């Protein structure tokens, strides 16, 4: 199971090499693309992974639905994981039951029709914008975000590689930045920002060992941008940080 963009230290990892190494030792690879699909173009046919999954709600679609991609033959080798309407072929008493071909065998019961239509439209919308355009726009936004926080003299410690360090290894930084103030707990800053209508995530971001062992802190703040954000949002965020720290007398 491999997550090409972890929640935290945001530089896309070298996926093709990881898949090659895993296949070289006979392992199969499931790409958890929940966090990469909204930000970078992903081409399953050239990746040569075995499975790839993603969540609709992270792709501007409805909640409660996602996508599983795999080569059709591999899907055909997989047994159903849940019983219900529309997934059986023959139910027999004297021999094992048989199941409908994929994708039906994996979609037991009444499907989430509204969610599927909404998810399809969300994908169409993103494809019309163009994932390469989104990635390029967000890479520029990441540079602005990084520079504005680091130049703000707000005593923030930024985690992960800078956009310049990413560029040095031929990568682009995703516009999410995790950071901490020297003296203020991330929960406090997040609450003050929230009161100004600025939403940041605070906590361990599903990366407890990383925080504990490598960053030596329990929690951090994460500013996360997407293609609908712009430089004005970043300015508002920086000014929100300043106001919060003034209120906290830091
Ligand atoms: C990498 C990754 N995988 C899986 C999930 C879970 O997705 P869902 O809420 O659609 O089950 C998340 C959600 O935060 C995630 O970031």
């Amino acid at each position: 199971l491999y997550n090409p963009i972890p929640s935290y230290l945001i530089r896309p990892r070298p996926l093709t090499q990881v898949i090659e190494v895993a296949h070289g030792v006979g392992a199969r690879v499931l790409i958890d693309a929940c966090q990469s699909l909204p930000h970078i173009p992903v081409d399953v046919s050239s990746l040569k992974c075995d499975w790839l999954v993603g969540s609709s709600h992270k792709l501007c679609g409805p909640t409660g639905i996602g996508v599983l991609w795999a080569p059709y033959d591999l899907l055909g080798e997989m047994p159903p994981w849940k019983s219900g309407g529309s997934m059986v072929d023959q139910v027999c008493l004297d021999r094992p039951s048989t199941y409908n071909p994929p994708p039906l065998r994996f979609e037991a019961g009444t499907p989430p029709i509204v969610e599927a239509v909404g998810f399809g439209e969300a994908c169409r919308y993103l494809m019309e914008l163009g994932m390469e355009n989104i990635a390029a726009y967000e890479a520029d936004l990441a540079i602005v975000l990084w520079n504005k926080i680091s130049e703000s003299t707000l005593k923030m410690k930024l985690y992960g590689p800078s956009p310049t360090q990413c560029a040095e290894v031929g990568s682009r930084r995703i516009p999410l930045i995790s950071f901490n103030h020297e003296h203020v707990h991330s929960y406090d800053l997040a609450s003050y920002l929230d009161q100004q209508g600025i939403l940041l995530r605070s906590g361990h971001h599903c990366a407890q060992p990383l925080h504990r062992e490598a960053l030596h802190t329990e929690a951090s703040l994460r500013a996360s941008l997407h293609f609908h954000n712009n430089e004005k949002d970043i300015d508002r965020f920086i000014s929100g940080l300043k106001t919060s720290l003034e209120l906290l007398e830091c």
Side-chain angles (χ1 to χ4, degrees), residues 43-71:
D43 175 6
V44 278
S45 56
S46 66
L47 272 180
K48 300 198 173 23
C49 59
D50 300 291
W51 301 272
L52 183 137
V53 293
S55 294
S56 157
H57 70 270
K58 292 200 194 322
L59 283 158
C60 311
T63 52
I65 190 168
V67 59
L68 162 69
W69 176 90

Side-chain angles (χ1 to χ4, degrees), residues 113-178:
I113 301 160
V114 175
E115 290 84 345
V117 172
F119 186 20
E121 283 310 312
C123 292
R124 225 184 306 280
Y125 173 63
L126 292 179
M127 278 153 56
E128 273 168 23
L129 291 177
M131 288 312 301
E132 190 50 61
N133 295 333
I134 290 177
Y137 175 75
E138 290 191 355
D140 289 346
L141 220 48
I143 296 171
V144 178
L145 179 63
W146 183 280
N147 290 346
K148 290 210 170 173
I149 305 182
S150 24
E151 288 160 10
S152 66
T153 65
L154 288 178
K155 295 187 190 152
M156 298 295 176
K157 183 173 175 53
L158 277 60
Y159 300 117
S162 70
T164 314
Q165 287 168 319
C166 291
E168 279 163 10
V169 291
S171 189
R172 291 188 290 207
R173 203 187 149 101
I174 302 296
L176 318 181
I177 292 183
S178 301

Side-chain angles (χ1 to χ4, degrees), residues 95-108:
R95 59 200 153 83
S97 301
T98 56
Y99 302 104
N100 276 326
L104 283 178
R105 74 169 58 170
F106 303 116
E107 296 182 349

Side-chain angles (χ1 to χ4, degrees), residues 3 7 32 34-35 55 57-58:
N3 171 10
S7 302
D32 179 349
C34 285
Q35 295 184 359
S55 294
H57 70 270
K58 292 200 194 322

